[in-house]
Amino acid sequence: MAKEIFYTALDIGCNKICAILARVGSEGELKVVGTGIAPSQGVRKGRVESISELKEAIVASLSEAQRYTGPDVINGVYATVSGAHISSFNTREEVQGLDDAQGITPRQMEQLGRNSIPEIDASHEVIHVVPIGYEVDGMPGVRNPAGLHASEVRLQSHVVVGDANILTNTVNAVKNGKVSARSLVLHSLASGEATLNGNEREMGVVLADIGAGTTDISIYQYGQPWYSSVLPVGGSQVTRDLSIALRIPFAVAEELKLKWGHAKPDSLRGDDEVVIPGSQERTPRVVMRRDFCEPLHLRMLEIIKLIMLRVTQAGLRHLPPGGLVLTGGAAETPGLADLAESVLQAPARIGSPAGVVGLPSQLRKPAFSGGVGALLWGIKHQGQGRPYGIGSKTLSGSRSRGGLFSRAREKAGS
């Protein structure tokens, strides 16, 4: 009997570490067999501050995920990465002078893909090189040019890079947890894998995952990611605003935010009240819910405007026709989609993991889009990516660019 193959996603966030263990059934369906959630520690806004603390959180989440399967079923994980150190750009790689009687060969297409891996400075590392589409003899939008007769073929790719030291620290924390990082997955691309439908990808859409410490953004065009960026602001800033405004501890502000928070205070009843718990120094007090939600509203409004600023920096004057899809833990804030629609005058919705048969109910929430998406990404791209450590630094300067191939680099990121 063939050994059963398990796939593991590890969503490394600023608030929680989530491990999801799954296998693919006999009919190709994804079956989740274990989940583990541990409080995040040792990481802040995508940057590892303590490898030992992050390792402990990773081990705890992976151990919980294996409680029904037993140990030693995990041989590698697909781990999400985030942080303001992430940047992106698009490249065009082309091959000219084709005269093969059989048309464009798979070998030539494979060579285009390999040459799309850019040469960058040693302080950065390539995370993804995602093909966007082909242009054949000036005709764009070709999905698969294999077998076509042409004089010139161009491949446009979306390239995501990050700070080499930060990525290495993340991988080392995973390795210290006695597992290997099979691949790093940009958090926004993972979330897009779990929440976006085909129509949105084709029309063009903005995906924003609002986590605890960061807001991860990816813009999709023509069915593929076209721009990626990370904002260093998230749900924790909302909680901190409430803590300062109401002069209460952070933990109390978080609890009240989850229970009473709303992104559009004007839509609430005017007589709704929130009881602020007392402490040794203060007696309990009552504030109007509209007043309580005002700092939350202002911070969410700022995040929406910052998302739109990144859209314009990417070169778009307006949101794509697919609008804005918001996901991540902070996207569960009531009224957020309505606020986004009213500000942007464009479609907006809250995205949750979908399209996975048998997904446990606890994972069908925006907070788990990154984890579920990393699992889907890993299964979809298995064997296509490069293990971490065989990246741009080892390739830099090692490839010859003579002959038929040439590259152009385009602006598509910050």
Side-chain angles (χ1 to χ4, degrees):
M1 179 180 293
K3 183 179 179 180
E4 197 167 32
I5 299 176
F6 292 89
Y7 299 87
T8 309
L10 190 65
D11 187 15
I12 301 175
C14 301
N15 184 51
K16 68 181 185 305
I17 307 296
C18 176
I20 305 176
L21 180 63
R23 62 181 177 84
V24 177
S26 58
E27 298 181 1
E29 75 280 14
L30 183 65
K31 294 185 176 181
V32 176
V33 297
T35 60
I37 301 173
S40 182
Q41 52 186 3
V43 60
R44 181 173 179 268
K45 293 185 181 296
R47 180 187 293 268
V48 178
E49 295 186 338
S50 171
I51 289 180
S52 61
E53 290 183 1
L54 178 55
K55 181 208 75 172
E56 291 178 6
I58 289 173
V59 169
S61 64
L62 291 174
S63 297
E64 184 181 349
Q66 296 178 91
R67 65 189 181 279
Y68 296 124
T69 62
D72 303 325
V73 301
I74 298 176
N75 57 10
V77 302
Y78 297 94
T80 63
V81 291
S82 180
H85 65 99
I86 299 292
S87 61
S88 73
F89 55 88
N90 294 336
T91 63
R92 285 185 183 272
E93 190 75 25
E94 68 178 45
V95 56
Q96 298 176 336
L98 299 172
D99 56 3
D100 196 308
Q102 297 178 351
I104 302 167
T105 66
R107 182 178 179 181
Q108 289 168 331
M109 290 179 60
E110 182 181 344
Q111 185 68 39
L112 271 173
R114 283 200 303 267
N115 279 40
S116 293
I117 303 171
E119 298 175 358
I120 57 177
D121 63 86
S123 65
H124 289 81
E125 184 74 39
V126 174
I127 304 172
H128 296 295
V129 180
V130 183
I132 298 175
Y134 295 89
E135 182 179 299
V136 178
D137 286 344
M139 181 178 67
V142 177
R143 301 279 185 173
N144 183 3
L148 296 178
H149 291 266
S151 300
E152 178 183 89
V153 178
R154 293 180 179 177
L155 169 62
Q156 185 180 27
S157 298
H158 180 60
V159 180
V160 179
V161 302
D163 183 278
N165 290 331
I166 295 175
L167 297 177
T168 298
N169 289 336
T170 301
V171 170
N172 286 341
V174 173
K175 287 182 177 179
N176 286 352
K178 306 303 180 183
V179 293
S180 63
R182 299 184 68 175
S183 178
L184 299 180
V185 185
L186 182 63
H187 192 92
S188 58
L189 296 186
S191 294
E193 201 71 30
T195 61
L196 299 179
N197 60 53
N199 288 335
E200 288 171 331
R201 292 168 180 262
E202 289 296 332
M203 290 190 299
V205 68
V206 177
L207 183 285
D209 186 307
I210 309 177
T214 62
T215 296
D216 298 72
I217 302 167
S218 281
I219 300 175
Y220 288 73
Q221 298 270 46
Y222 316 114
Q224 298 295 337
W226 177 78
Y227 169 91
S228 300
S229 183
V230 180
L231 297 171
V233 61
S236 292
Q237 279 66 38
V238 175
T239 305
R240 187 168 294 108
D241 292 343
L242 291 172
S243 174
I244 294 172
L246 298 170
R247 302 184 302 281
I248 56 177
F250 185 91
V252 176
E254 178 70 15
E255 181 180 352
L256 293 176
K257 179 188 75 172
L258 295 176
K259 186 174 182 180
W260 299 108
H262 200 285
K264 292 193 73 176
D266 290 346
S267 67
L268 300 173
R269 288 177 45 177
D271 58 351
D272 281 354
E273 297 177 337
V274 176
V275 177
I276 307 299
S279 63
Q280 293 180 348
E281 297 83 11
R282 294 178 179 273
T283 59
R285 51 201 165 99
V286 175
V287 298
M288 304 310 296
R289 190 180 177 194
R290 285 184 175 180
D291 296 334
F292 169 85
C293 293
E294 189 61 24
L296 184 155
H297 164 76
L298 293 175
R299 180 63 73 176
M300 286 301 188
L301 184 62
E302 179 195 35
I303 291 175
I304 291 170
K305 291 181 177 180
L306 287 173
I307 293 170
M308 192 60 205
L309 179 61
R310 292 298 171 92
V311 172
T312 57
Q313 288 175 347
L316 301 179
R317 297 179 61 186
H318 308 285
L319 281 174
L324 174 65
V325 176
L326 296 160
T327 192
E332 298 180 29
T333 303
L336 182 59
D338 290 340
L339 176 63
E341 284 195 341
S342 64
V343 171
L344 302 175
Q345 295 296 298
R349 70 174 181 88
I350 305 302
S352 300
V356 179
V357 178
L359 188 68
S361 58
Q362 68 267 27
L363 298 181
R364 299 175 189 170
K365 299 178 180 179
F368 297 99
S369 295
V372 174
L375 191 67
L376 295 173
W377 180 280
I379 294 173
K380 180 179 178 180
H381 295 277
Q382 59 177 314
Q384 298 178 20
R386 296 170 294 117
Y388 183 86
I390 311 176
S392 58
K393 288 186 289 185
T394 56
L395 291 170
S396 181
S398 66
R399 285 197 308 269
S400 170
R401 297 217 170 270
L404 300 175
F405 293 90
S406 63
R407 165 181 294 117
R409 173 167 167 163
E410 304 170 338
K411 177 184 177 183
S414 61

